[in-house]
Amino acid sequence: MLPDPSLARPRIPSIAVLGGGPGGLFTAWSLQRALDRPVHLELYEASARLGGKVRTARLGPRGVPYEAGAAELYDYSALGEDPLRELVAELGLATRPMEGHAVVVGGRFLANLDDLESALGAEAASALRRFDACAQDRLSPAEFFAADLEGGSASEAPGHRFSAFLDRVPSRGARRFVETLIHSDLATEPERTSVGYGLQNYLMNDPRYLKLYSIEGGNERLIEALAQRVRAELRLEHEVLRVSRAPSGRLRIAWRSPRSSGEREHDLVVLALPLEALRRVAFEGELLRAALARHIADYDHPAHYLRLTLLFERPFWRARLQDSYAMLEAFGGACLYDESSRTPGAGYGLLGWLLGGEAARAHAKLDDATLLSRALEELPFEGALARELFVAGAVHRWSDAVNAIPGGEVPRSHARRHQPEPHAHPELFVVGDYLFDSTLNGVLDSADHVAHAIAARLAESSEEAA
Ligand SMILES: Cc1cc2nc3c(=O)[nH]c(=O)nc-3n(C[C@H](O)[C@H](O)[C@H](O)COP(=O)(O)OP(=O)(O)OC[C@H]3O[C@@H](n4cnc5c(N)ncnc54)[C@H](O)[C@@H]3O)c2cc1C
C-alpha cells in the first residue's frame, strides 16, 4: 500500500555550521534562540578543539594560564545594547575589568598630557590635544557605537587612508605617540587602513567610548560554556574542503578527517570561517565560485599578530606597571600585557607582548628563542633582572588572522554582507568578524544577523508549504 501523503511529516531542516571558533559557536547559540522549530544542526571544526583564536593556553612547570589569542572583550554597555556583555552574564561567567593608561616612549611611562608635555614638549602636547578634539568631533561616542549598526558607518572615499589623516598632525612626537598607541590594536600600518577604522582604534582608548574586560579563569571559559549549552552534532577534526549544489537541490559539504572523508547534504549552510580559511574552501558552480571570489576580494585586507609570552618567577615590574597593559614603542608599537594581573595574588609574573602589523609578520619568520630574547631586550624596565627571573616562554604566530579594513572599503547592507550569492544560493550564509570590526563583539553581531535571517527564511518556507 502506498503511504498517504497527508500523513508524511515535514523533514526537520538540516543546518551545517562550518567552523568551531567563536563565530560558529555564536551562530549555533543564536540559532537555538532565534528558531521556533526543531532543526538538525551540525558543527564542523577542522581542528581537534573548539574556540579558534580564543585560546587560554598554559605555560611553565606549573601550567599557568595565559591568553594566546584574543586578550580582551569590549564593553559597550554604557552606550547601548551589548549582546556580548549580555551573553557573558547569561552564561554566568565572572569578569574582570582591564585598564591601561600608559604609552612608554623613550623608557618613560606617559599616562596623561602632562607626562607627554614633559617628555615630548609643549608643541607635541598641544598637537595631541587638537588631534584628540578632532577625532572626537569626527566620531562621538554615540556614532562610535552605531558604526556597526545597519547604515551606521559613514561612507568614506575608497582608498582614503588613516596615514593621510595622521600626516595632518603637525608634531612628529604627537604622531608617533598616536601610532604607538593604536598599532597593536590595528594590527596593520596607518597606510593600510581606513580613516574610520584608525579613528575607532584611537578612540577606544577613551573610557567614554569603550571599556575592556576579560573572563575570570581565562577567555576560553566563554567557549567552554557555549560548548556545554549548544545542541549540535559536533564534528571535530572535520575540515570542510568543498561546497556544491547536489542533484537533490540541497547544498553538499565535502569534508575530510584524519581517518576518513565524506559528503553530506544540508538545507542551509553557514560558513563561520575567517577569510584565510574561506580561501581554502572550493566552491563548485560558476555562480557560487565567482560570488565567493568577489566576497573574499571585498574584505581582502590581511592584518597580522604575533604574541610572545614570558613567565618569570615573580612580577618584578609592579613598581613601574600596575595596569593590565601598557603600549610600547618597541616593534613599531606593541601592547605589553601583565598577564599575571588576571590572577590576583598569583606568585608568578607573566608578561605578554602583542606585536601587530608588519612587525608581527616579519618577526614571525624568526625562531622562538630569538623572539623571546628580543622581547626581553625591548622590556622598558629591569632587563637584567628579567633575564635572571625568566622561567619559560611561548610564541603564537597569527599572520593573516585579522583584518586591516574590517567591514570593507565600501560598507554594504548587513543582508548583502552575509549572503555572497543571494539569488541562486539564498541558503548559503557567511559569518565573520571581518564583516564588522575584527572582534568577538563583531562576530557575535554577525552570528545574530544570520540566525535571524535563517529563522525568517524557515518561517517563510513553512508558510509557503502550509
Ligand atoms: C592574536 C589575536 C588577538 C586578538 N585579540 C582580540 C581581542 O582582544 N578582542 C577581540 O574581541 N578579538 C580579538 N581578536 C579577534 C578574535 O579572536 C576573532 O574576532 C574571533 O576569533 C573570530 O572568530 P571566528 O570564529 O570568526 O574565527 P576563528 O576564531 O579563527 O575560528 C575559526 C574556526 O574555524 C576552523 N576552520 C578553519 N577552516 C576550516 C574548515 N575548512 N573546515 C572546518 N573548520 C575550519 C578553525 O580551526 C577555527 O576553529 C584577536 C585575534 C588574534 C589573532
Side-chain angles (χ1 to χ4, degrees):
M1 200 172 74
L2 288 173
D4 178 350
S6 65
L7 297 179
R9 278 195 288 152
R11 191 163 45 79
I12 292 182
S14 156
I15 307 179
V17 176
L18 317 186
L25 285 165
F26 289 157
T27 305
W29 173 257
S30 298
L31 277 169
Q32 215 161 287
R33 297 164 56 105
L35 297 179
D36 58 0
R37 69 201 60 220
V39 292
H40 178 71
L41 194 62
E42 288 184 20
L43 188 64
Y44 292 77
E45 164 54 45
S47 74
R49 67 173 279 277
L50 294 171
K53 296 187 283 267
V54 174
R55 180 164 171 218
T56 306
R58 297 196 167 261
L59 185 60
R62 284 197 283 162
V64 304
Y66 67 97
E67 298 304 339
E72 64 231 8
L73 285 71
Y74 302 112
D75 182 347
Y76 293 88
S77 58
L79 298 171
E81 262 185 47
D82 185 337
L84 186 55
R85 204 59 174 127
E86 285 164 24
L87 172 62
V88 167
E90 194 176 339
L91 296 174
L93 298 168
T95 61
R96 174 171 296 280
M98 292 176 70
E99 282 186 20
H101 300 97
V103 176
V104 186
V105 177
R108 293 173 71 170
F109 281 64
L110 314 184
N112 52 46
L113 273 169
D114 289 343
D115 292 348
L116 184 95
E117 184 161 346
S118 80
L120 301 178
E123 196 193 317
S126 141
L128 185 66
R129 224 174 258 121
R130 284 199 303 278
F131 175 81
D132 192 60
C134 172
Q136 290 187 39
D137 198 44
R138 292 269 300 229
L139 209 60
S140 69
E143 287 163 334
F144 176 90
F145 175 74
D148 277 338
L149 304 179
E150 188 81 84
S153 48
S155 64
E156 217 177 272
H160 196 196
R161 295 288 178 252
F162 189 53
S163 48
F165 189 81
L166 268 182
D167 284 344
R168 303 211 300 255
V169 178
S171 145
R172 248 174 76 90
R175 245 183 353 258
R176 186 80 196 107
F177 180 89
V178 174
E179 283 171 6
T180 303
L181 179 67
I182 65 174
H183 189 240
S184 81
D185 283 316
L186 272 182
T188 190
E189 315 314 312
E191 61 274 18
R192 300 227 171 101
T193 192
S194 62
V195 176
Y197 194 54
L199 283 176
Q200 281 180 38
N201 278 277
Y202 171 75
L203 290 166
M204 65 179 263
N205 294 288
D206 180 336
R208 286 169 302 173
Y209 284 75
L210 197 66
K211 291 194 176 69
L212 273 56
Y213 63 102
S214 63
I215 293 175
E216 296 256 12
N219 292 338
E220 201 169 325
R221 290 245 164 116
L222 172 62
I223 302 300
E224 290 158 6
L226 278 172
Q228 279 167 14
R229 287 165 177 83
V230 157
R231 291 189 298 274
E233 192 178 323
L234 192 56
R235 296 173 163 261
L236 286 178
E237 295 190 276
H238 276 58
E239 182 189 7
V240 173
L241 304 173
R242 199 168 60 246
V243 178
S244 59
R245 173 78 69 201
S248 66
R250 301 168 89 202
L251 288 174
R252 184 167 48 201
I253 304 297
W255 52 266
R256 89 173 152 210
S257 78
R259 289 160 295 281
S260 58
S261 61
E263 294 187 341
R264 265 177 100 86
E265 291 182 15
H266 299 276
D267 299 299
L268 293 136
V269 170
V270 182
L271 299 153
L273 301 175
L275 270 198
E276 41 98 24
L278 207 50
R279 269 185 240 281
R280 294 195 298 267
V281 177
F283 294 93
E284 280 187 1
E286 200 47 48
L287 264 182
L288 191 58
R289 195 168 30 246
L292 263 297
R294 267 196 314 275
H295 178 81
I296 291 170
D298 279 350
Y299 300 98
D300 193 11
H301 303 284
H304 322 285
Y305 276 133
L306 173 66
R307 201 181 270 294
L308 313 175
T309 307
L310 282 79
L311 176 65
F312 302 93
E313 282 170 28
R314 58 185 164 81
F316 57 89
W317 53 83
R318 291 273 163 79
R320 306 288 304 278
L321 174 68
Q322 289 98 37
D323 285 346
S324 327
Y325 61 89
M327 298 300 179
L328 307 183
E329 251 185 327
F331 304 110
C335 183
L336 180 67
Y337 289 95
D338 179 350
E339 284 284 326
S340 35
S341 70
R342 297 177 195 268
T343 317
Y348 57 84
L350 195 56
L351 287 176
W353 278 251
L354 182 63
L355 277 62
E358 277 313 298
R361 206 171 62 96
H363 282 82
K365 295 177 188 136
L366 302 178
D367 64 78
D368 290 8
T370 308
L371 286 169
L372 296 173
S373 171
R374 292 262 168 100
L376 284 171
E377 276 162 29
E378 298 291 355
L379 198 61
F381 38 70
E382 319 263 21
L385 187 57
R387 287 186 183 279
E388 199 181 305
L389 298 178
F390 174 71
V391 179
V395 176
H396 297 271
R397 294 170 176 80
W398 296 105
S399 293
D400 280 6
V402 281
N403 203 288
I405 310 186
E409 295 243 32
V410 182
R412 299 189 196 289
S413 73
H414 286 192
R416 193 67 190 80
R417 286 181 213 191
H418 289 95
Q419 284 195 285
E421 209 294 288
H423 306 295
H425 298 86
E427 67 282 64
L428 183 86
F429 295 84
V430 292
V431 160
D433 62 350
Y434 63 91
L435 299 167
F436 289 93
D437 61 357
S438 254
T439 69
L440 294 167
N441 302 71
V443 77
L444 177 55
D445 289 345
S446 177
D448 269 345
H449 174 89
V450 165
H452 285 100
I454 288 179
R457 194 178 155 75
L458 289 178
E460 223 172 79
S461 55
S462 59
E463 269 167 32
E464 278 165 18

